[in-house]
Amino acid sequence: MDPSIQALLAILGTVCLFLLIMLYRYLKAKCIRRIEYSRRFADEGVHEGMNTVLIETIYNPSLFFLFNIHVESFLYSGIRPESVLYDDSLDMHYCVSTFRIIPPFGRIQRKNIICCEKRGLYELESVEINYRKNPHTIKSEASLYVYPKPVPLSGVHMHPNSVQGDNPTNRRLIYDPFSFSGIRDYVAGDSMRMINYKATARSVIGSDYGIKVNKFDYVSNRNVLVLIDYKYSDEAQISGEDYNAIMENALRVATALICEASESGYRVGFAANCKLSSGEMFMRFPADSGVLHYIEMLKSMATLRANAGMSMQRLIEMYIADSLSETEIILFAHEVDDTAIVNLERLSVMGNSVNTFTLDESFVHIDDTYVAG
């Protein structure tokens, strides 16, 4: 072949290749604008120290393969992908999720294990896909509640008030057949009428194989109210770091009590004189039972701020005005002044029992072996 023709063909080939590359870049930029991306957490809420799953879904609605799509976002330092270490001094951290190949009309789902390390409400809003310095923002909202970690302490517990034979017990002996609270695995002793056949059939298809039964709340007339006083005496010499640690640990112990009471079928309430993000100066949940009530309490406990609001005396007076009776009150406070003592005695006269636990430096570092005084 004539060398001049070979040179011409080489030039034409180079030009065609260049045009194809430019066409691909143009089409890729157009396709990126059409990408659909969403994400969600597998759980609505989990306790501190637990893991959850962040599920990402990306969809390519075009006729072309897309390569190396980088989805950029920011995650709060309180939640982090497994095997990734964050700088605790920063509130948010930059993260990139890379999808190597997305086929035409292909949908890819990716599951990321997330470690939940700090109490709070985490709301994710949007992500960015950058191509040739042209960011494309996609709204992809997801939210996760991280509840306080339940930390049971010996010395801080509820005394049994039921009798089974000759022994006191916390177990509630009667189920409420009208208070359905979920589905659980079958255990020895469950009656046949409790089996949920539809859930059992679905478990055969999924990975969680086994017989499933309906779960009901217990019938109980035992009322438990947990109070936390966020007000520290002005004379107390305590650093802000220690104060936060004490109040966080008090909240964790209160969470353990609430979990224990709810699992035992009791009616449980919670109140604290702390500031809320909504501007209110206290939080108050009446004693009630059921999964929804329990979850709502945990959500509010996840979002409260460790700052004192109204006085504990005023909060107790609200219960006196409501004629609270037949309730076991557990109060965590740094100091109970004379006015609060009088109000607590009034609650005792009204038919309530009151147990007070002191929040001092011992609550800065607590574990399961700590004995509360």
Side-chain angles (χ1 to χ4, degrees):
M1 183 179 291
D2 191 335
S4 62
I5 296 178
Q6 290 182 349
L8 180 61
L9 291 176
I11 293 172
L12 289 176
T14 303
V15 171
C16 290
L17 180 61
F18 175 77
L19 291 176
L20 287 174
I21 293 175
M22 295 303 296
L23 178 61
Y24 170 75
R25 289 184 175 181
Y26 172 76
L27 292 176
K28 182 177 180 179
K30 298 288 286 185
C31 293
I32 285 177
R33 294 288 176 179
R34 298 176 56 195
I35 281 180
E36 298 176 11
Y37 174 88
S38 63
R39 57 185 172 177
R40 63 181 178 86
F41 289 99
D43 302 286
E44 183 180 17
V46 295
H47 290 280
E48 289 175 303
M50 297 178 62
N51 294 342
T52 187
V53 176
L54 177 63
I55 303 172
E56 298 178 282
T57 304
I58 193 167
Y59 175 64
N60 174 18
S62 69
L63 292 168
F64 302 94
F65 282 88
L66 295 178
F67 302 93
N68 296 326
I69 301 299
H70 303 285
V71 180
E72 305 172 3
S73 62
F74 285 90
L75 285 183
Y76 294 92
S77 58
I79 54 175
R80 62 172 179 84
E82 191 180 42
S83 75
V84 175
L85 297 178
Y86 281 166
D87 183 356
D88 294 337
S89 63
L90 301 177
D91 293 331
M92 303 192 75
H93 294 81
Y94 173 74
C95 297
V96 179
S97 184
T98 301
F99 296 86
R100 296 300 179 187
I101 302 176
I102 309 177
F105 302 104
R107 188 184 305 274
I108 297 177
Q109 188 177 88
R110 175 176 295 168
K111 297 182 178 180
N112 306 286
I113 298 178
I114 302 296
C115 303
C116 305
E117 299 180 339
K118 188 176 180 181
R119 174 182 67 86
L121 170 60
Y122 298 95
E123 296 178 306
L124 309 181
E125 297 180 355
S126 62
V127 299
E128 281 190 356
I129 300 178
N130 282 293
Y131 179 65
R132 297 178 64 83
K133 298 182 180 180
N134 294 318
H136 173 48
T137 303
I138 301 177
K139 187 176 182 181
S140 55
E141 297 179 345
S143 62
L144 174 70
Y145 287 91
V146 179
Y147 311 137
K149 177 183 178 180
V151 179
L153 297 183
S154 55
V156 182
H157 60 273
M158 295 174 296
H159 299 284
N161 70 338
S162 301
V163 174
Q164 184 175 0
D166 295 329
N167 299 317
T169 175
N170 282 326
R171 175 175 169 81
R172 312 318 301 166
L173 304 179
I174 304 174
Y175 284 106
D176 183 355
F178 301 103
S179 182
F180 176 78
S181 63
I183 296 173
R184 60 172 175 81
D185 293 331
Y186 175 87
V187 295
D190 289 335
S191 63
M192 292 292 293
R193 65 173 179 269
M194 294 178 64
I195 296 178
N196 188 312
Y197 293 96
K198 291 184 178 180
T200 301
R202 287 195 295 268
S203 72
V204 176
I205 301 175
S207 58
D208 187 20
Y209 175 73
I211 299 176
K212 306 298 179 183
V213 299
N214 294 323
K215 181 181 178 182
F216 298 95
D217 288 328
Y218 294 101
V219 174
S220 174
N221 60 355
R222 186 176 183 182
N223 301 321
V224 177
L225 175 62
V226 181
L227 303 176
I228 299 181
D229 185 1
Y230 276 80
K231 178 66 175 177
Y232 242 70
S233 173
D234 295 334
E235 291 79 17
Q237 300 296 324
I238 184 171
S239 66
E241 183 178 351
D242 286 348
Y243 171 81
N244 290 331
I246 290 172
M247 302 318 300
E248 283 297 316
N249 287 328
L251 191 62
R252 290 166 181 161
V253 176
T255 302
L257 291 171
I258 290 173
C259 292
E260 177 189 352
S262 297
E263 291 173 0
S264 300
Y266 306 147
R267 295 165 55 87
V268 58
F270 173 75
N273 59 339
C274 57
K275 293 181 180 178
L276 306 182
S277 57
S278 60
E280 296 183 74
M281 305 298 285
F282 69 97
M283 174 186 298
R284 191 164 79 119
F285 282 90
D288 204 349
S289 60
V291 175
L292 293 179
H293 174 72
Y294 171 64
I295 295 299
E296 286 302 316
M297 276 195 298
L298 290 180
K299 286 181 178 179
S300 297
M301 295 169 76
T303 59
L304 64 78
R305 299 176 179 176
N307 298 106
M310 70 160 53
S311 66
M312 179 54 64
Q313 294 88 333
R314 178 70 185 97
L315 189 59
I316 295 174
E317 288 171 358
M318 296 172 68
Y319 285 104
I320 295 175
D322 293 340
S323 301
L324 181 69
S325 62
E326 299 180 353
T327 300
E328 300 171 47
I329 301 172
I330 301 173
L331 171 63
F332 294 93
H334 169 251
E335 183 181 30
V336 181
D337 59 24
D338 295 339
T339 304
I341 291 175
V342 172
N343 288 333
L344 292 175
E345 289 177 350
R346 291 177 62 186
L347 286 174
S348 298
V349 172
M350 294 166 61
N352 304 287
S353 65
V354 180
N355 293 302
T356 303
F357 297 96
T358 303
L359 297 178
D360 52 23
E361 287 72 12
S362 301
F363 269 77
V364 174
H365 303 288
I366 61 174
D367 54 38
D368 294 348
T369 63
Y370 171 73
V371 179

